[in-house]
Amino acid sequence: MHDHDALTRFLLPAAGVRGVRVHLDQSWTQVRSRDDHGPAVTELLGEALAAAALFTGHAKVDGRLSVQLRGQGALRTLFAECTAAGTVRGIAQVEGEPPASRDLRRLGGDDALLAITIENPSAPGRDPVRYQGLVGLEADSLAGAFEGYFRQSEQLPTRILLAADDSRAAGLLLQKLPGDEGDEDGWNRASLLFDTLSPGELLELPAATLLHRLFHEEGVQVLGGRALRFGCSCSRERVSSMLRSLGGEEARAAVLDGRAEVRCEFCGERYHFDPEEIEALLAQPEPTSDAPAGLQ
């Protein structure tokens, strides 16, 4: 497997630590080409995309995993998703002029939250099974906020480094294995080695070089990985569900010049519905599904 647009899982057996490394280039270029929100928000979107991919290397994901900022500040939307098939997509939306600050707490506004959501398929004919975890913005960076999430929700020491520039996005995750695996000082050693890596090196170094440079004395073992690529999960069925959820007044108001047009903000695909199709959608019962409170 080539080193670009790839996820690599690895193990530090003596230390009792597992890890994931992600590098995105062509897929990140496709995501960032959709909109330009200035360097600060663009870098945050790249970091979010790398984070979503990282977490699929550590959690059980049979469907899709997303990370999303929920807030009322200048950064209204920050969303990134990675599927079990290795497709990634993401989007950012800002209110007003592109902000220059990268301070996540300032961008998200008061009471902003980061959500991590896993959606896995269920039995045929049933709604997907959704698990969601929320974390408050107690750090000014995405990496810091996610580290806080894993400390609180999984109670496992976790280190995360995220980086993005115009052409690449990358991430590295270290996590102590559950239980008493590894020697007593293993996590401290791994964490100190992690701290020697700069964002620039994370973006530039191939996986084999990066892992050897950091962890060769720990006997690092590559467990495998998978290719990543840009891909959108939009479909006519999903757009139909969205229109139905708007209710009759808003769905009918979307019809202009004899048809409603919905454009996917992730990939640019356009879907069209005539008035008769809108009425048929509104006549269908609205599906219901409940999401458990915790990410499992």
Side-chain angles (χ1 to χ4, degrees):
M1 184 181 69
H2 61 69
D3 192 61
H4 305 291
D5 291 299
L7 177 151
T8 304
R9 296 171 56 247
F10 61 92
L11 180 69
L12 310 180
V17 173
R18 61 185 175 186
V20 185
R21 178 263 192 186
V22 160
H23 194 277
L24 306 169
D25 42 50
Q26 292 182 9
S27 55
W28 165 229
T29 300
Q30 288 183 269
V31 169
R32 74 175 301 275
S33 69
R34 307 296 169 182
D35 291 289
D36 184 7
H37 299 299
V41 172
T42 297
E43 287 180 15
L44 283 173
L45 177 58
E47 291 180 5
L49 201 68
L54 274 181
F55 301 155
T56 65
H58 129 85
K60 180 174 174 54
V61 179
D62 298 320
R64 65 190 74 250
L65 181 149
S66 66
V67 300
Q68 181 177 13
L69 174 73
R70 299 178 178 180
Q72 295 298 318
L75 182 55
R76 292 302 175 91
T77 301
L78 181 69
F79 175 92
E81 177 187 86
C82 183
T83 70
T87 62
V88 296
R89 64 175 187 163
I91 192 172
Q93 295 175 335
V94 300
E95 182 76 11
E97 292 296 317
S101 171
R102 277 182 46 90
D103 188 316
L104 202 60
R105 287 174 294 189
R106 181 181 301 177
L107 288 172
D110 296 336
D111 301 322
L113 294 171
L114 274 174
I116 303 177
T117 305
I118 294 177
E119 182 180 294
N120 285 329
S122 58
R126 301 188 63 179
D127 291 331
V129 179
R130 297 179 69 245
Y131 307 94
Q132 187 172 85
L134 299 174
V135 57
L137 295 185
E138 297 180 1
D140 60 6
S141 68
L142 276 175
F146 287 130
E147 285 183 355
Y149 167 78
F150 284 110
R151 278 196 305 271
Q152 296 169 22
S153 67
E154 300 192 6
Q155 298 182 339
L156 290 173
T158 304
R159 300 297 310 277
I160 297 171
L161 180 63
L162 303 169
D165 61 16
D166 287 346
S167 58
R168 302 162 298 185
L172 182 68
L173 178 149
L174 287 187
Q175 189 172 75
K176 190 178 187 310
L177 288 168
D180 297 324
E181 296 189 47
D183 62 59
E184 187 173 328
D185 194 47
W187 174 253
N188 290 334
R189 292 197 313 274
S191 188
L192 287 172
L193 292 169
F194 178 94
D195 285 333
T196 66
L197 183 67
S198 71
E201 290 172 322
L202 178 62
L203 289 170
E204 293 169 7
L205 295 177
T209 304
L210 184 150
L211 296 180
H212 177 77
R213 182 177 297 186
L214 285 178
F215 305 122
H216 66 279
E217 292 185 357
E218 295 294 330
V220 58
Q221 298 176 1
V222 175
L223 302 179
R226 67 172 182 270
L228 302 170
R229 60 184 174 83
F230 173 78
C232 191
S233 59
C234 71
S235 67
R236 189 172 181 83
E237 181 181 8
R238 283 174 172 253
V239 174
S240 297
S241 297
M242 181 275 293
L243 285 170
R244 189 168 62 246
S245 70
L246 292 177
E249 183 176 350
E250 288 192 50
R252 293 184 182 102
V255 177
L256 300 173
D257 298 325
R259 68 177 184 177
E261 179 180 281
V262 179
R263 177 182 177 273
C264 177
E265 295 177 313
F266 293 95
C267 69
E269 183 72 25
R270 297 177 188 272
Y271 297 89
H272 300 106
F273 299 81
D274 61 33
E276 291 76 16
E277 289 173 316
I278 295 290
E279 293 302 325
L281 288 175
L282 294 173
Q284 297 176 16
E286 182 69 26
T288 59
S289 61
D290 297 321
L295 178 66
Q296 301 175 358

